Amino acid sequence: MVPVGSFEQHGPHLPLDTDTRIARAVAQALPDVVVAPAIEYGASGEHEGFAGTISIGAEAMETLVVEYGRSAFRWTKRVLFVNGHGGNGPALAKAVALLRYEGRDAAWVPCAVAGADAHAGHTETSLLLHLSPDLVHMSLAETGNLSPIADLMPGMRSGGMVAVSQNGVLGNPVGATAEDGAYIFGELVGRVTDGLARWEPGPDGRLR
């Protein structure tokens, strides 16, 4: 298991490594696996309008995953990249598809649940209250843009996150709780565990 995260702004109340923390925790909760150190930087260009964000870009991300896989497969038979940052998805899909084309049994899976808000809202804040409560500053939590993500994508593509959210939040973190986080985390782990047991990567290597 290779946790894949990012180092990017998550509003005024969550740590910069939120995505990495979630991906690592999910990977570590899976049964009968070996968990590698996380890839802690990702493709986060849409967040670069906010201080603290460091992005390596999609092209570098793709190359990193391909070379990581080629190296790991010299001694292992299977690798699953557990992705905590949505922006890494296109690079992971291309990289893992290439690894599979080369005959390597790689796959990737997103840390995603149905009904989640997009960024630093109720979902991620609840997860961090469950996983790393000492790093969550609820006194600074603010409601962000509540528009559907599909409506925000044109603005994000042209101007980044800062163009659609002044505080870097998409959703409402104010009512987040550790109890909700524990439930969401259980859903995440259960979904990934089921996908791992079936091991049916799609054409882009994503576990079904």
Side-chain angles (χ1 to χ4, degrees), residues 59-140:
E59 184 175 351
M61 185 78 208
E62 182 182 345
T63 299
L64 188 158
V65 172
V66 168
E67 295 303 328
Y68 189 112
R70 286 172 175 168
S71 180
F73 276 104
R74 291 183 178 275
W75 50 266
T76 191
K77 295 181 179 179
R78 180 172 286 178
V79 172
L80 178 65
F81 295 93
V82 181
N83 181 40
H85 171 53
N88 293 335
L92 277 167
K94 292 174 68 175
V96 174
L98 177 57
L99 290 170
R100 294 191 63 78
Y101 174 78
E102 293 174 344
R104 299 173 172 94
D105 195 12
W108 70 282
V109 65
C111 294
V113 291
D117 46 14
H119 187 75
H122 181 271
T123 303
E124 288 188 317
T125 302
S126 293
L127 281 168
L128 263 290
L129 284 170
H130 171 58
L131 297 171
S132 301
D134 54 320
L135 297 180
V136 181
H137 302 283
M138 288 304 292
S139 62
L140 301 177

Side-chain angles (χ1 to χ4, degrees), residues 1 7-8 15-16 19 23 85 95 102 130 140 147 161 174 176 180:
M1 303 296 108
F7 198 80
E8 65 184 35
L16 294 165
D19 294 338
H85 171 53
E102 293 174 344
H130 171 58
L140 301 177
S147 300
M161 176 69 78
V174 175
D180 285 348

